[in-house]
Amino acid sequence: MHLVYPAVLAALLFCVGLYGVLARRNAILVLMSVELMLNAVNLNLVAFDVWLRDTLHAGQALTLFTIAIAAAEIGIGLAIVLQVYRNRGTADVDRLRDLDEDAHRPDPERADREEKAEAAA
Amino acid sequence: MTGSAMLAAQANGFLSPSGVEIAFLLVGIATLGAAVVTVTTKQLVHAALWLVLALGGLAVEYLLLTAEFIAWVQVLIYVGSVVVLLLFGLMLTKAPIGRSPDADSANRWPAIGVAVAAAAALVWVVVDAFRTTWIDLRGAPQGSTKVSGEILFRHWVLPFEALSVLLLAALVGAIVLSRRKKEER
């Protein structure tokens, strides 16, 4: 088999996942797209391992490790998303903008409170 | 590249594909289509179900590349547990059943631009680099359970054990993160 077939399929799958990560709004759909990207990398690892006939089979071992790390990542990621949903009532990534500077600038009451806290300290 | 590999690549032109290549191509098209539907559908639960098809198609591709053990691990871990976890996550965040028009955010068109540009660059580079490379699939399968077990427990024992510690830490972390605090109950 030509190596081009798995390599091109992996590149295209990676780009589909890239689009999903950038364009999706729900955090769980973003996690699904991350899984697609990880799987594209796995396909590359397996294809190059079979091509190189590595005696250590580093590609296949790394694929197994990637799969295990992806499982750990999805568990932690979903736990974080659940926690965010409990605190905010939403899992939309573009509504979580506490670090946005423009959203907080004109808020004198908050500045007052912070000054008081500093004075008390 | 060695001369024999060059000869093999020339003897196996693109215009006369072998049976395994045709199978790989068909399953690849199905996989890619399922992946595209996964990232574009407006129905959140359907996205998870299309993801099953994409990941299952990848398992078939691993089988075609003679990596049997990886293929079954893929079915077990991804299709069996990751997608189920994702479905539970969708349920617990009260994802709407049916079409949700705001599934895509406002930066959809820049995302399409970035993805198409990355795809064009990657495919161009990959095709240019590996145009004549030929994978020899004959002989004993390179990813059978026997081979995988031998390499994992002979050469990769330490990373394997470190990974089990990582999985345990992730499990405990997920439980701690998703547990409700006492005063919330």
Side-chain angles (χ1 to χ4, degrees):
Chain A
M1 175 154 50
H2 281 281
L3 183 60
V4 169
Y5 289 108
V8 167
L9 178 63
L12 290 177
L13 268 181
F14 184 85
C15 293
V16 168
L18 183 66
Y19 165 76
V21 167
L22 292 176
R24 286 302 208 177
R25 180 171 275 163
N26 190 309
I28 294 179
L29 293 181
V30 173
L31 282 176
M32 284 184 204
S33 309
V34 172
E35 293 300 311
L36 277 179
M37 292 166 87
L38 283 168
N39 269 286
V41 175
N42 284 349
L43 182 60
N44 253 337
L45 283 171
V46 170
F48 278 85
D49 181 85
V50 174
W51 171 48
L52 291 171
R53 294 188 167 266
D54 186 11
T55 45
L56 286 184
H57 283 296
Q60 293 190 29
L62 273 177
T63 305
L64 288 174
F65 295 164
T66 314
I67 289 175
I69 289 174
E73 170 253 330
I74 205 83
I76 295 281
L78 278 178
I80 293 173
V81 170
L82 273 186
Q83 203 64 14
V84 166
Y85 180 78
R86 261 184 217 151
N87 287 335
R88 306 292 179 90
T90 178
D92 292 354
V93 282
D94 53 359
R95 279 199 219 158
L96 308 172
R97 35 201 319 150
D98 283 357
L99 291 178
D100 188 2
E101 288 179 350
D102 295 335
H104 292 302
R105 198 174 290 151
D107 196 356
E109 195 188 334
R110 168 189 289 260
D112 259 7
R113 224 184 306 131
E114 277 169 7
E115 268 173 24
K116 270 180 201 158
E118 273 175 22
Chain B
M1 194 166 62
T2 60
S4 62
M6 190 103 68
L7 277 180
Q10 278 165 0
N12 303 288
F14 276 105
L15 293 177
S16 58
S18 60
V20 69
E21 281 179 334
I22 295 172
F24 192 95
L25 203 63
L26 291 179
V27 178
I29 289 169
T31 305
L32 197 64
V36 168
V37 177
T38 302
V39 297
T40 53
T41 178
K42 302 268 185 213
Q43 309 200 26
L44 304 188
V45 180
H46 286 200
L49 298 179
W50 281 105
L51 189 67
V52 172
L53 190 58
L55 300 177
L58 269 174
V60 177
E61 307 283 48
Y62 293 150
L63 275 183
L64 289 175
L65 284 168
T66 70
E68 297 163 15
F69 185 67
I70 308 263
W72 299 123
V73 166
Q74 168 94 0
V75 171
L76 276 175
I77 307 283
Y78 272 113
V79 182
S81 74
V82 166
V83 173
V84 172
L85 261 181
L86 284 168
L87 280 172
F88 268 99
L90 282 174
M91 271 191 271
L92 288 173
T93 56
K94 296 193 179 61
I97 305 291
R99 302 176 68 80
S100 51
D102 59 345
D104 291 329
S105 64
N107 50 10
R108 184 157 180 252
W109 289 106
I112 289 180
V114 169
V116 168
L122 279 176
V123 168
W124 177 50
V125 169
V126 159
V127 168
D128 197 42
F130 300 111
R131 201 170 22 200
T132 56
T133 311
W134 178 258
I135 307 176
D136 197 4
L137 291 176
R138 286 168 303 179
Q142 294 191 52
S144 62
T145 311
K146 184 166 180 286
V147 176
S148 297
E150 276 174 1
I151 55 139
L152 264 187
F153 291 107
R154 191 166 292 163
H155 305 293
W156 297 91
V157 174
L158 192 61
F160 185 81
E161 298 297 335
L163 202 68
S164 62
V165 176
L166 176 101
L167 267 182
L168 179 69
L171 190 70
V172 174
I175 291 172
V176 169
L177 269 178
S178 56
R179 198 182 50 159
R180 285 174 193 275
K181 303 238 167 30
K182 275 208 180 98
E183 58 266 30
E184 285 177 27
R185 272 190 215 134

